[in-house]
Amino acid sequence: MACVLEAPLRMSVLSEVTASSRHYVDRLFDLDPQKVLQGVMLLYLLQQETSSAELRTECAVVLGSLAMGTENNVKSLLDCHIIPALLQGLLSPDLKFIEACLRCLRTIFISPVTPEDLLYTDATVISHLMALLSRSRYTQEYICQIFSHCCKLQHWHSCGFKSLPQPLLCANGPDHQTILFNHGAVQNIAHLLVSTSYKVRMQALKCFSVLAFENPQVSVTLVNVSVDGELLPQIFVKMLQRDKPIEMQLTSAKCLTSMCRAGAIRTDDSCIVLKTLPCLVRMCSKERLLEERVEGAETLAYLIETDVELQRIASITDHLIVMLADYFKYPSSVSAITDIKRLDHDLKHAHELRQAAFKLYASLGANDEDIRKKIIETENMMDRIVNGLSESSIKVRLAAVRCLHSLSRSVQQLRTSFQDHAVWKPLMKVLQNAPNEILVVASSTLCNLLLEFSPSKEPILESGAIELLCSLTQSENLALRVNGIWALMNMAFQAEQKIKSDILRGLSTEQLFQLLSDSDVNVLMKTLGLLRNLLSTRPHIDHIMSTHGKQIMQAVTLILEGEHNIEVKEQTLCILANIADGTTAKELIMTNDDILQKIKYYMSHSNAKLQLAAMFCISNLIWNEEEGSQERQDKLRDMGIVDILHKLSQSSDPNLCDKAKTALQQYLA
């Protein structure tokens, strides 16, 4: 888009008019290409060193006012290369001009259409901004605000509570946090926390909240920094006090939360248990503004997400579980909001309350069965989750699925509430057409609903889940591949032969081999787990091996020969033990000398788990109550298996010793 700013007024009155009239600000941008020249004049005058300091300052003020208009205004300014021009202006000796440039930069960078990376294109910019921090309280306020808006993580973090991925930065360069940290951001900004200016203190606090987020290096540094003899965590705790502005309390709580999650502060530290957590619970009260309730709940969800004790403490603090139910009732018919503009705003953003409540319920119910029970017994909770799964907002749907996933870890609830509300139906609908971030959590939930004690397992099978799950195993997304094969593994456990055959048919031999050669060990382990569940009960073992025996034996050979960890090889040997338990299937082992030599090798392995798994194979092969046992015993004796069994019967490991003696008895019977 061309830069289309119009400057029809005298420069001396421009800032007053543009700052006070949004209509005029937006009118300054015109799509008429002939007016481009008038717009460029502002930037031209700004960059002319022959222009007076007053004129250049006025230009920066006007441009800042323009940036307060629509997003199109900001896009046009960016197209005019306003950022390099303003950064150049920071080299001026005139403080008023510098402040005006910084104020304009701040306004541009807080716009969602401005790429944060534009701040980092020149390596000298950050150093110069750090140097300008000491010039005035305005430079401090604006620079901290610029940093906090231009500090994004390079990686997609693992926390369950980021709704959508952040754009990746250049894979070859350091992320924003690292750049700012390496330029001394902590040391340069720390003393601003005790500034006499409230705005400076707040912007410094916000800067630390983004610097510390998921960053152990920054968080550990913050713990050990002191200002005027007081450590930063102590300063943050003081800012949590009830007499401080809500904005300050919330941001301080975010700082301490990030430091705790990064491992710099213990979860049982009094500043977390007695200060941060109660503060965040207070923010969930219906007396707070909508955005405060949302931020409070989401920050609390992140704080307690991985800690069982914090989850228990939060669940009994100020009736939090019941308090969160109010998030779904907003606005009530007796809403206390009398400001029509505020009511209109909140109606448009009420879905954010539901999203935050789902996130916090998910964290609260992540581990404790009693807490899950309290959540589900909360008024209309299951109905709210089911409704949340079909909301138009992708963030609400994701949060609702996370909440459902958390609650699905309860055996009791799977058997009762989940069945009463037929939760599997909306869940299957979500899985049909959803972005990957929702698919990952929804498929994880489906894994739980397919456990053998879940009443939902049968109707899910009847709804065509096998085809869906087999397609997930082909996804490029690792988490979806893991969940797809995991769900199939659960589905195959103690299943009928038809279901097992349908799974094998749906996967295809080619896809099965693809999964067994996957570079991710979780995919490999779950695939082996699926095979182990498929090859259970003799009729099923014999049937599957009669149709897929050659391919399965080939896969087993490849894994036992490959560079895999102990757990993978143990699982593979257990599959062989299951095959050896078949009536006709065991002949596929007895006629395969290569496999027999491998079993013999693992009987003498240094790892007891592998020895034990190999012994299960031998025991199933030589069991003398079965037809052909004498021939199998003779062949294995000729291979030296009996000699190894005698040695193992003297093992110091009681499991190995007992198993060897039991096997030897088959030869004596």
Side-chain angles (χ1 to χ4, degrees):
M1 182 188 290
C3 177
V4 286
L5 304 99
E6 183 182 0
L9 302 181
R10 292 195 325 276
M11 196 61 69
S12 59
V13 296
L14 267 177
S15 61
E16 180 182 348
V17 174
T18 55
S20 61
S21 173
R22 170 65 183 267
H23 175 66
Y24 179 74
V25 168
D26 292 341
R27 228 171 20 87
L28 283 179
F29 286 85
D30 196 299
L31 294 177
D32 184 355
Q34 302 207 357
K35 295 182 179 177
V36 171
L37 186 59
Q38 298 176 48
V40 173
M41 278 185 61
L42 281 171
L43 276 171
Y44 176 77
L45 291 170
L46 177 85
Q47 296 175 83
Q48 293 307 300
E49 293 184 9
T50 54
S51 300
S52 68
E54 183 182 5
L55 178 60
R56 297 173 76 194
T57 301
E58 202 69 35
C59 286
V61 171
V62 174
L63 290 167
S65 297
L66 293 173
M68 292 179 186
T70 63
E71 289 183 359
N72 281 335
N73 293 15
V74 178
K75 288 177 182 177
S76 287
L77 288 169
L78 292 172
D79 288 339
C80 289
H81 306 292
I82 188 173
I83 289 179
L86 291 170
L87 292 175
Q88 187 67 27
L90 300 181
L91 299 175
S92 168
D94 187 273
L95 181 58
K96 291 294 182 187
F97 179 49
I98 290 172
E99 290 173 349
C101 288
L102 284 171
R103 187 161 53 246
C104 185
L105 280 167
R106 179 274 313 269
T107 305
I108 289 170
F109 274 118
I110 64 177
S111 169
V113 301
T114 306
E116 298 88 1
D117 282 351
L118 291 177
L119 185 67
Y120 303 92
T121 51
D122 185 337
T124 63
V125 168
I126 304 300
S127 297
H128 189 61
L129 288 172
M130 293 295 178
L132 289 176
L133 277 169
S134 61
R135 294 295 297 275
S136 74
R137 71 181 182 88
Y138 294 111
T139 63
Q140 292 168 350
E141 177 189 341
Y142 303 146
I143 290 171
C144 284
Q145 201 168 357
I146 290 168
F147 284 162
S148 62
H149 279 277
C150 295
C151 187
K152 291 289 183 287
L153 285 171
Q154 183 168 6
H155 61 283
W156 162 257
H157 79 289
S158 59
C159 157
F161 295 100
K162 200 151 192 173
S163 299
L164 292 169
Q166 293 297 315
L168 291 177
L169 306 182
C170 173
N172 298 319
D175 59 30
H176 298 160
Q177 288 177 323
T178 303
I179 294 170
L180 294 175
F181 179 79
N182 290 342
H183 279 84
V186 173
Q187 293 76 13
N188 284 301
I189 296 172
H191 71 281
L192 303 182
L193 291 170
V194 294
S195 168
T196 55
S197 165
Y198 171 77
K199 288 185 177 180
V200 171
R201 293 201 304 278
M202 266 314 305
Q203 293 306 327
L205 195 58
K206 287 180 179 179
C207 199
F208 280 136
S209 75
V210 295
L211 277 173
F213 181 66
E214 294 215 326
N215 194 311
Q217 184 183 31
V218 173
S219 296
V220 170
T221 303
L222 288 177
V223 166
N224 297 306
V225 170
S226 63
V227 178
D228 294 344
E230 199 167 24
L231 291 170
L232 286 194
Q234 296 172 315
I235 294 174
F236 293 150
V237 167
K238 284 186 176 179
M239 291 176 163
L240 286 174
Q241 293 173 357
R242 292 171 184 259
D243 61 341
K244 296 293 188 291
I246 296 299
E247 178 188 33
M248 181 172 280
Q249 291 184 49
L250 254 175
T251 313
S252 300
K254 288 177 76 172
C255 287
L256 289 164
T257 293
S258 291
M259 293 162 73
C260 179
R261 283 301 305 267
I265 300 176
R266 289 169 56 96
T267 56
D268 59 357
D269 191 295
S270 61
C271 76
I272 298 297
V273 177
L274 302 179
K275 301 293 183 180
T276 308
L277 188 149
C279 171
L280 291 170
V281 173
R282 286 200 308 274
M283 296 303 138
C284 298
S285 164
K286 59 184 175 184
E287 281 74 41
R288 301 265 57 87
L289 294 175
L290 179 145
E291 50 265 40
E292 293 164 356
R293 296 170 77 187
V294 169
E295 195 168 4
E298 292 194 343
T299 306
L300 182 56
Y302 180 51
L303 174 64
I304 69 174
E305 182 188 9
T306 58
D307 191 271
V308 180
E309 192 55 34
L310 288 181
Q311 291 160 10
R312 287 174 180 155
I313 294 169
S315 72
I316 58 173
T317 302
D318 292 347
H319 307 287
L320 176 63
I321 292 176
V322 176
M323 190 193 304
L324 283 178
D326 288 333
Y327 278 46
F328 297 96
K329 301 174 185 177
Y330 188 88
S332 64
S333 56
V334 290
S335 176
I337 299 177
T338 55
D339 184 336
I340 297 301
K341 285 186 178 179
R342 163 54 66 173
L343 182 58
D344 182 58
H345 168 273
D346 285 7
L347 283 169
K348 291 176 181 175
H349 294 271
H351 67 278
E352 294 177 16
L353 278 174
R354 298 192 292 278
Q355 174 193 343
F358 282 138
K359 285 182 179 180
L360 186 44
Y361 276 137
S363 281
L364 284 165
N367 294 286
D368 189 279
E369 185 66 23
D370 290 336
I371 297 175
R372 291 189 195 115
K373 188 171 184 291
K374 288 178 185 175
I375 291 171
I376 286 179
E377 289 175 352
T378 303
E379 181 186 356
N380 299 324
M381 189 62 211
M382 291 305 293
D383 289 333
R384 285 168 177 154
I385 294 174
V386 169
N387 291 336
L389 294 175
S390 58
E391 283 215 24
S392 58
S393 166
I394 185 173
K395 293 184 178 181
V396 176
R397 293 207 307 276
L398 177 59
V401 174
R402 289 199 186 285
C403 185
L404 191 66
H405 178 241
S406 180
L407 298 175
S408 72
R409 294 170 181 152
S410 165
V411 175
Q412 179 63 27
Q413 300 310 327
L414 282 176
R415 286 173 168 164
T416 54
S417 301
F418 276 56
Q419 182 65 7
D420 295 342
H421 292 81
V423 169
W424 66 270
K425 288 183 180 179
L427 185 65
M428 288 297 291
K429 191 174 180 181
V430 167
L431 282 161
Q432 299 301 326
N433 184 24
N436 276 1
E437 58 266 27
I438 290 181
L439 275 179
V440 168
V441 190
S443 55
S444 290
T445 310
L446 192 64
C447 287
N448 291 343
L449 267 64
L450 285 168
L451 291 167
E452 47 51 68
F453 49 74
S454 169
S456 303
K457 181 174 181 177
E458 189 173 336
I460 290 173
L461 279 167
E462 293 169 355
S463 69
I466 291 177
E467 184 181 352
L468 169 69
L469 294 172
C470 288
S471 69
L472 289 183
T473 67
Q474 300 177 40
S475 172
E476 292 182 5
N477 183 294
L478 172 59
L480 288 179
R481 288 205 306 281
V482 171
N483 288 348
I485 200 69
W486 195 335
L488 289 171
M489 181 186 80
N490 287 352
M491 188 183 285
F493 182 74
Q494 294 184 353
E496 297 173 0
Q497 184 172 303
K498 180 184 182 304
I499 292 170
K500 292 181 178 181
S501 297
D502 288 346
I503 291 172
L504 279 170
R505 194 178 303 111
L507 269 182
S508 80
T509 305
E510 183 182 352
Q511 177 60 12
L512 192 61
F513 270 95
Q514 192 73 32
L515 292 166
L516 288 170
S517 59
D518 199 288
S519 59
D520 185 80
V521 70
N522 288 319
V523 173
L524 178 55
M525 282 295 286
K526 292 297 178 286
T527 307
L528 291 171
L530 168 62
L531 272 177
R532 192 172 171 182
N533 285 349
L534 290 171
L535 295 166
S536 61
T537 73
R538 286 183 179 176
H540 296 179
I541 294 168
D542 291 335
H543 175 75
I544 290 171
M545 292 306 290
S546 69
T547 55
H548 295 81
K550 182 180 178 182
Q551 296 92 333
I552 290 173
M553 294 302 287
Q554 186 181 346
V556 166
T557 304
L558 287 172
I559 292 171
L560 290 178
E561 288 177 348
E563 295 294 323
H564 296 290
N565 63 32
I566 298 297
E567 287 72 24
V568 167
K569 295 203 171 185
E570 179 189 18
Q571 188 82 299
T572 307
L573 287 168
C574 287
I575 290 171
L576 274 180
N578 282 14
I579 295 170
D581 192 40
T583 302
T584 57
K586 56 168 52 79
E587 288 307 310
L588 287 166
I589 297 177
M590 291 305 301
T591 56
N592 190 325
D593 290 341
D594 186 25
I595 286 289
L596 289 174
Q597 288 297 332
K598 284 179 171 53
I599 295 172
K600 178 183 176 182
Y601 166 77
Y602 284 109
M603 285 179 72
S604 302
H605 198 275
S606 57
N607 185 278
K609 287 183 177 180
L610 296 183
Q611 287 180 286
L612 200 57
M615 293 248 287
F616 274 109
C617 296
I618 295 299
S619 292
N620 286 344
L621 290 172
I622 63 174
W623 205 255
N624 56 31
E625 293 177 2
E626 295 171 6
E627 187 179 345
S629 61
Q630 188 61 54
E631 290 81 359
R632 291 192 292 275
Q633 287 181 7
D634 292 343
K635 181 170 183 176
L636 292 173
R637 179 188 286 110
D638 293 342
M639 285 179 59
I641 295 296
V642 174
D643 294 336
I644 298 174
L645 288 174
H646 278 296
K647 288 180 183 177
L648 290 174
S649 68
Q650 307 300 317
S651 171
S652 58
D653 185 306
N655 290 327
L656 281 176
C657 179
D658 290 345
K659 195 67 182 172
K661 288 178 179 177
T662 302
L664 284 170
Q665 286 173 1
Q666 299 304 307
Y667 276 93
L668 299 174

